[in-house]
Amino acid sequence: MMKQSGFFDVEERLARLSGLGDQLEAFSRTVDFEVFRPDLGQALAYSDGSKGGRPPFDPVLMFKILVIQTLNNLSDERTEYLINDRLSFMRFLGLGLSDRVPDAKTVWLFRERLTQAGAIEGLFNRFDTTLRNAGYLPMSGQILDATLVAAPKQRNTNAEKADLRAGRIPEDWQDKPAKLSHKDRHARWTLKFTKAKRQDDGTMPSSDLAIPFFGYKSHVSIDRKYRFIRKWKTTDAAASDGARLRGGLLDKTNTASSVWADTAYRSKANEDFMEKQGFVSKVHRKKPQLKPMPRHIQKSNAGKSVIRSRVEHVFADQKSQMGLFIRTVRITRATMRIGLANIVYNMRRFLFLERINAAA
């Protein structure tokens, strides 16, 4: 006969998890999730419409579920299952074994309400304030970059694609709400270029590889000193990187004025814009057409690369650790997903820096 598991067995198991290094426990210790409560309350009230009645679950608990989901790249169904299954998830959420766990639909609805209310910007800024209050001011200049984020591919006809590019809803979809709800009208195809690699026989291909890619683009500006994301934008995959620089991606609060970025951000408009705004451009220079790259520019670009490459770490963390991928349709939801990934990246970075400070 099996022994009835008691309260102390659960406590002992949790203590063992702590000993093994529970990342969520470190999150609970270091991040004060209560700071998000006012923003969450405001967003939910805005998107509610019907006043009255007790909210079924605490909004901070629900937000922590979105953090778990983002950290582990989980679907709503998988999230529901794992919260029920894992003691470390329960402890992070402050749930006991006998407490009711939000189901997949509740998680979806909560995220959807935050999305409709456009809450992600405020939540991101709220945590940025926490970082500043902890002494992590944006310093030493900033680095800009963008990465492609995949979305589920759409099988559309050429006529449908032409309609979408022109901002129209294809005629065939208009009276089919179910079809319309599954079609992503905002994601776009683009070409992703990867550097040509030497072949097995030792020859070099004459050009880089171009791979078709469907989805969105995540644009960020990080501060050079602490490498926190300070500004961000989400666009379709075909949007140009350079134009975002003038569209609010530069952080005016950085204590230094240098801006690093790759050649995609190099344009007369951007250089003029930065000069007017008091920024110092350290943007890579392009190779002159049909001429070899001058030595001094080559050297200067190489020096800039050392600093600029730090931003790669951000995207690598989001894609390898969090498996960043868009499961949903529409740019508002993609923005929510990327915004959450940016908050969670900053939380992980904060944990890392606090641990270093504690050890110092």
Side-chain angles (χ1 to χ4, degrees):
M1 189 179 123
M2 268 179 70
K3 184 167 77 76
Q4 192 69 36
S5 79
F7 175 69
F8 291 106
D9 301 335
V10 173
E11 285 296 296
E12 197 177 304
R13 178 69 60 87
L14 284 170
R16 195 174 306 162
L17 284 172
S18 301
L20 293 168
D22 174 9
Q23 187 187 15
L24 289 175
E25 195 185 14
F27 264 65
S28 295
R29 265 202 312 271
T30 316
V31 176
D32 175 16
F33 281 92
E34 280 300 316
V35 300
F36 297 106
R37 189 176 291 281
D39 297 272
L40 293 168
Q42 212 178 341
L44 295 169
Y46 164 86
S47 69
D48 190 17
S50 65
K51 289 285 171 283
R54 188 175 68 86
F57 286 100
D58 178 66
V60 175
L61 166 105
M62 294 302 297
F63 181 65
K64 285 169 118 179
I65 290 178
L66 299 188
V67 168
I68 287 180
Q69 212 175 25
T70 307
L71 264 173
N72 299 283
N73 184 25
L74 304 173
S75 67
D76 295 336
E77 286 72 23
R78 189 83 186 130
T79 303
E80 177 189 351
Y81 172 80
L82 285 175
I83 293 170
N84 280 292
D85 186 55
R86 282 194 192 172
L87 287 174
S88 59
F89 283 15
M90 283 190 191
R91 168 163 66 185
F92 176 62
L93 297 171
L95 292 171
L97 285 177
S98 55
D99 289 331
R100 200 159 65 91
V101 170
D103 61 11
K105 183 87 178 110
T106 307
V107 175
W108 182 88
L109 207 63
F110 176 76
R111 192 179 52 247
E112 192 65 8
R113 284 174 67 185
L114 291 186
T115 303
Q116 299 311 332
I120 192 65
E121 198 85 26
L123 293 165
F124 179 88
N125 294 340
R126 177 69 61 196
F127 190 61
D128 189 58
T129 304
T130 298
L131 296 175
R132 288 164 193 261
N133 292 344
Y136 298 104
L137 297 173
M139 294 165 94
S140 310
Q142 59 194 303
I143 311 168
L144 271 55
D145 205 1
T147 191
L148 293 164
V149 184
K153 290 186 182 63
Q154 309 276 310
R155 309 269 179 259
N156 296 333
T157 65
N158 285 340
E160 287 170 343
K161 284 179 195 163
D163 277 341
L164 292 174
R165 272 196 294 271
R168 294 186 299 268
I169 297 176
E171 204 174 314
D172 187 35
W173 302 359
Q174 287 171 9
D175 48 0
K176 296 182 183 152
K179 182 167 190 172
L180 196 53
S181 71
H182 286 285
K183 287 291 190 182
D184 197 329
R185 309 202 294 281
H186 301 134
R188 289 286 178 272
W189 283 96
T190 188
L191 286 174
K192 182 179 180 178
F193 291 95
T194 55
K195 286 269 171 267
K197 292 189 177 61
R198 196 171 288 284
Q199 301 290 319
D200 293 341
D201 61 4
T203 58
M204 270 301 271
S206 58
S207 64
D208 294 341
L209 296 173
I211 301 157
F213 182 94
F214 184 77
Y216 291 95
K217 209 180 252 184
S218 163
H219 308 260
V220 302
S221 164
I222 68 165
D223 70 279
R224 181 186 164 194
K225 185 169 172 71
Y226 297 116
R227 302 187 203 177
F228 284 115
I229 298 170
R230 302 294 180 166
K231 293 275 180 195
W232 61 282
K233 286 249 179 295
T234 302
T235 63
D236 66 70
S240 95
D241 298 359
R244 303 285 93 66
L245 180 140
R246 307 190 299 281
L249 201 59
L250 286 175
D251 178 15
K252 293 196 171 76
T253 66
N254 197 300
T255 57
S257 50
S258 298
V259 176
W260 285 266
D262 63 27
T263 51
Y265 295 85
R266 188 97 200 178
S267 69
K268 174 117 176 52
N270 281 353
E271 296 300 307
D272 293 348
F273 179 83
M274 283 190 276
E275 201 178 332
K276 258 200 202 82
Q277 302 277 332
F279 290 105
V280 175
S281 170
K282 305 266 186 187
V283 179
H284 274 44
R285 287 184 179 275
K286 295 178 180 169
K287 186 174 106 50
Q289 263 189 324
L290 307 174
K291 281 193 210 130
M293 185 74 127
R295 266 314 290 275
H296 69 282
I297 292 186
Q298 219 169 339
K299 275 184 75 166
S300 142
N301 276 356
K304 291 170 182 171
S305 279
V306 176
I307 293 169
R308 199 200 66 75
S309 62
R310 291 181 181 182
V311 72
E312 307 291 346
H313 163 88
V314 179
F315 297 138
D317 186 80
Q318 290 184 328
K319 287 183 175 178
S320 62
Q321 297 293 323
M322 303 182 220
L324 182 57
F325 169 77
I326 307 291
R327 284 190 166 85
T328 50
V329 301
R330 295 221 179 99
I331 194 153
T332 47
R333 295 193 188 117
T335 303
M336 181 75 190
R337 174 84 176 94
I338 288 170
L340 278 168
N342 290 345
I343 293 174
V344 169
Y345 165 79
N346 278 356
M347 285 179 175
R348 281 170 54 104
R349 183 84 190 145
F350 180 52
L351 254 63
F352 173 74
L353 293 172
E354 288 287 278
R355 202 175 298 140
I356 289 178
N357 287 345

